[in-house]
């Protein structure tokens, strides 16, 4: 569930809303945390005799066994396996339209920056908004199609569009102008051959560079950095201290001055609810602000909150204000986590990984995540007792440095663009 679900969501999503769909997985996880936190009160299912009933919720996902057959296979995976017809059918189901030529072209390795001349003519600023980038990208694609087309325009596209309308299908995710630009684009013609040739040249380094571990040098660089960044993101997520808050929230709240079971329960629920609501910030901003921006902001907020909650716990004996301030700072901490480090590591690990090596890379990153989780579960209690949250602030500071220096932006980028960015690190 931790490895396959984010990967699958990323592979079935259109590039411009890939982040929002990917973070929806984190939304459901956090809702489950809220439900368990609420039911863990002693008067409900949190007593010594009833706590085991909390595990009954794990049976709910069994309902997927009755609906899994309705889920389409990942079209990217199908394209990689050469099963284009099945990929096209899956995309038509996912996009709710017959016209999925753009998606198929991109999944075969197509890049909107195809020709160098067109690249100079219509280069898109890296700071352009997603709508601006999308408009420029489709304009470039239309010019490439017209340049590469060796035959007069046929009625294939018109027939497809007419059939789509007669069948009651929805229009593709294109504006009227974009559909007119795409009118002369034939799926499977030489433009796809150019994309394949560009991919081959990119993978071989364009100059016959030596292969490493059976991979062309540039692909080796891509896989290496995708793995390094994926592992680093997972370590940042776990070592930032988020699970220390949830594993030892009752103990931390007691240190903050809350003594009764009701007060501790309310504090725990408040932290879980804040954690859940903060995911909506990521859902609605991840495809606008970008992944790296949210990661940096997340680490900064968590680092500041770690220092503040540590100071508040140290001064709690001087005033009740500090006792309640520590709770507020913990809430700020979990909000900062969900803005970036909550969902983005899972999403970006899948986005950064080349399709043919995605399985091993995601598996390595997931193992790193659970390994770090085990370390936090075993040692975060003594760490908090000895040094409070200051070590987690250090991790967050290192996360900011690593993100700025090494992690490329993936928002709205095609797989080929992401691989090129990784190989150039």
């Amino acid at each position: 569930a931790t490895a396959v679900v984010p990967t699958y969501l990323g592979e079935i999503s259109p590039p411009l809303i890939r982040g929002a769909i990917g973070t929806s997985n984190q939304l459901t996880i956090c809702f489950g945390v809220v439900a368990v936190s609420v039911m863990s009160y002693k008067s409900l299912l949190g007593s010594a005799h009833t706590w085991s009933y909390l595990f009954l919720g794990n049976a709910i996902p069994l309902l997927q066994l009755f609906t899994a057959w309705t889920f389409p296979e990942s079209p990217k995976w199908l394209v990689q396996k050469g099963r284009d017809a099945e990929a096209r059918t899956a995309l038509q189901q996912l996009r709710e339209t017959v016209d999925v030529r753009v998606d198929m072209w991109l999944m075969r390795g197509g890049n909107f920056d195809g020709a160098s001349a067109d690249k100079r003519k219509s280069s898109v600023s890296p700071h352009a908004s997603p709508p601006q980038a999308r408009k420029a990208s489709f304009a470039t694609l239309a010019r490439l199609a017209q340049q590469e087309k060796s035959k007069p325009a046929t009625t294939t596209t018109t027939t497809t569009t007419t059939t789509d309308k007669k069948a009651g299908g929805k229009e593709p995710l294109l504006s009227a102008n974009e559909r007119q630009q795409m009118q002369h684009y034939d799926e499977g013609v030489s433009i796809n051959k150019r994309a394949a040739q560009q991919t081959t040249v990119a993978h071989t380094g364009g100059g016959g560079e030596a292969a490493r571990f059976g991979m062309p040098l540039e692909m080796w660089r891509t896989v290496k950095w995708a793995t390094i960044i994926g592992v680093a993101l997972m370590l940042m997520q776990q070592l930032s201290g988020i699970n220390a808050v949830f594993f030892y929230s009752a103990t931390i709240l007691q240190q903050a001055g809350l003594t009764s079971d009701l007060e501790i329960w309310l504090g725990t629920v408040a932290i879980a609810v804040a954690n859940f609501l903060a995911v909506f910030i990521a859902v609605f901003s991840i495809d606008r602000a970008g992944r790296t921006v949210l990661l940096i902001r997340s680490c900064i907020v968590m680092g500041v909150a770690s220092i503040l909650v540590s100071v508040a716990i140290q001064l709690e004996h001087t005033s009740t204000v500090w006792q309640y301030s520590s709770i507020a700072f913990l809430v700020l901490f979990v909000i900062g986590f969900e803005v970036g480090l909550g969902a983005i590591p899972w999403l970006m690990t899948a986005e950064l990984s080349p399709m043919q090596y995605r399985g091993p890379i995601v598996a390595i990153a997931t193992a790193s995540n659970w390994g770090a989780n085990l370390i936090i579960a075993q040692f975060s209690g003594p760490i908090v007792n000895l040094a409070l949250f200051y070590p987690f602030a250090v991790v967050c500071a290192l996360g900011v440095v690593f993100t700025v220096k090494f992690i490329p932006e993936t928002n709205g980028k095609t797989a080929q663009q992401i691989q090129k960015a990784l190989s150039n690190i």
Side-chain angles (χ1 to χ4, degrees):
T2 55
V4 175
V5 173
T7 301
Y8 177 74
L9 291 176
E11 291 179 359
I12 67 174
S13 307
L16 293 180
I17 57 173
R18 191 169 55 214
I21 294 177
T23 51
S24 64
N25 178 53
Q26 186 73 7
L27 196 65
T28 59
I29 292 174
C30 292
F31 178 79
V33 173
V34 172
V36 172
S37 298
V38 171
M39 298 303 296
S40 63
Y41 188 52
K42 286 187 177 181
S43 299
L44 298 174
L45 295 178
S47 68
H49 303 289
T50 59
W51 66 268
S52 58
Y53 292 116
L54 291 170
F55 290 99
L56 290 176
N58 293 330
I60 295 177
L62 291 176
L63 296 175
Q64 290 182 344
L65 294 177
F66 302 100
T67 60
W69 62 273
T70 64
F71 300 166
E73 183 55 84
S74 164
K76 287 188 177 180
W77 181 83
L78 291 171
V79 168
Q80 182 201 2
K81 298 299 181 181
R83 295 155 63 177
D84 285 13
E86 295 177 59
R88 187 179 296 104
T89 300
L91 279 169
Q92 289 170 345
Q93 179 180 351
L94 291 165
R95 306 293 188 259
E96 296 186 340
T97 178
V98 175
D99 190 355
V100 293
R101 293 168 295 166
V102 175
D103 293 271
M104 289 293 296
W105 185 77
L106 290 173
M107 288 182 183
R108 291 189 183 110
N111 188 354
F112 287 128
D113 297 330
S116 58
D118 281 297
K119 187 173 181 179
R120 291 191 297 268
K121 289 179 182 178
S122 62
S123 59
V124 183
S125 168
H127 305 291
S129 63
Q132 291 172 335
R134 180 171 182 265
K135 182 178 180 181
S137 296
F138 275 106
T140 302
L141 179 58
R143 282 195 298 273
L144 283 173
Q146 292 173 1
Q147 291 174 2
E148 292 292 330
K149 191 166 179 59
S150 57
K151 299 179 181 180
T154 64
T155 58
T156 303
T157 305
T158 306
T159 304
T160 301
T161 305
T162 305
T163 304
D164 190 11
K165 292 181 179 179
K166 287 182 179 180
K170 295 184 178 181
E171 293 290 323
L173 296 177
L174 306 175
S175 66
N177 290 335
E178 290 168 348
R179 285 185 61 79
Q180 185 176 6
Q181 290 175 343
M182 289 298 299
Q183 195 72 18
H184 299 291
Y185 170 69
D186 272 335
E187 180 181 14
V189 293
S190 55
I191 192 168
N192 282 329
K193 296 179 182 178
R194 167 180 283 191
Q197 292 170 356
Q198 289 172 345
T199 303
T200 302
V201 171
H203 288 179
T204 58
E209 296 172 304
R212 295 187 181 179
F213 296 95
M215 291 179 279
L217 183 58
E218 188 163 349
M219 177 55 72
W220 157 247
R221 291 173 181 154
T222 299
V223 172
K224 178 185 71 173
W225 279 108
T227 306
I228 292 173
I229 293 173
V231 170
L233 284 170
M234 296 304 179
L235 294 180
M236 286 164 55
Q237 183 189 72
Q238 291 299 326
L239 300 182
S240 66
I242 185 62
N243 280 326
V245 173
F246 286 106
F247 290 158
Y248 298 97
S249 58
T251 302
I252 295 172
L253 291 173
Q254 286 177 342
Q255 292 178 344
L258 302 184
T259 55
S260 70
D261 292 337
L262 179 60
E263 288 177 332
I264 294 174
W265 175 71
L266 289 175
T268 303
V269 171
I271 293 173
V273 170
N275 185 61
F276 171 68
L277 295 178
V279 182
F280 286 98
I281 300 176
V283 169
F284 291 108
S285 63
I286 191 170
D287 289 315
R288 294 178 173 86
R291 281 64 155 156
T292 55
V293 171
L294 291 184
L295 280 174
I296 293 170
R297 292 176 180 176
S298 177
C299 289
I300 291 175
V301 171
M302 293 179 71
V304 172
S306 297
I307 296 173
L308 292 176
V309 72
S310 300
V311 172
I313 292 176
Q314 287 178 305
L315 299 177
E316 64 184 9
H317 63 280
T318 62
S319 172
T320 56
V321 173
W322 288 110
Q323 294 177 354
Y324 291 103
S325 295
S326 63
I327 300 174
F329 296 145
L330 284 177
V331 171
L332 177 63
F333 182 88
V334 299
I335 290 175
F337 175 79
E338 291 302 345
V339 167
L341 280 179
I344 291 179
W346 299 105
L347 175 66
M348 286 198 74
T349 299
E351 287 182 326
L352 291 168
S353 305
M355 189 66 205
Q356 59 269 47
Y357 302 104
R358 183 166 294 171
I361 294 174
V362 172
I364 293 171
T366 301
S368 302
N369 184 283
W370 286 107
N373 195 338
L374 177 62
I375 293 174
I376 290 296
Q378 295 300 317
F379 300 107
S380 60
I383 290 174
V384 171
N385 290 331
L386 179 64
L388 300 177
F389 278 69
Y390 291 117
F392 302 134
V394 174
V395 172
C396 292
L398 294 175
V400 172
V401 175
F402 185 85
T403 301
V404 171
K405 189 171 181 62
F406 295 109
I407 302 181
E409 181 57 68
T410 60
N411 183 28
K413 302 291 182 63
T414 64
Q416 191 176 17
Q417 291 169 331
I418 293 171
Q419 291 177 27
K420 183 177 180 180
L422 286 172
S423 66
N424 290 332
I425 295 178

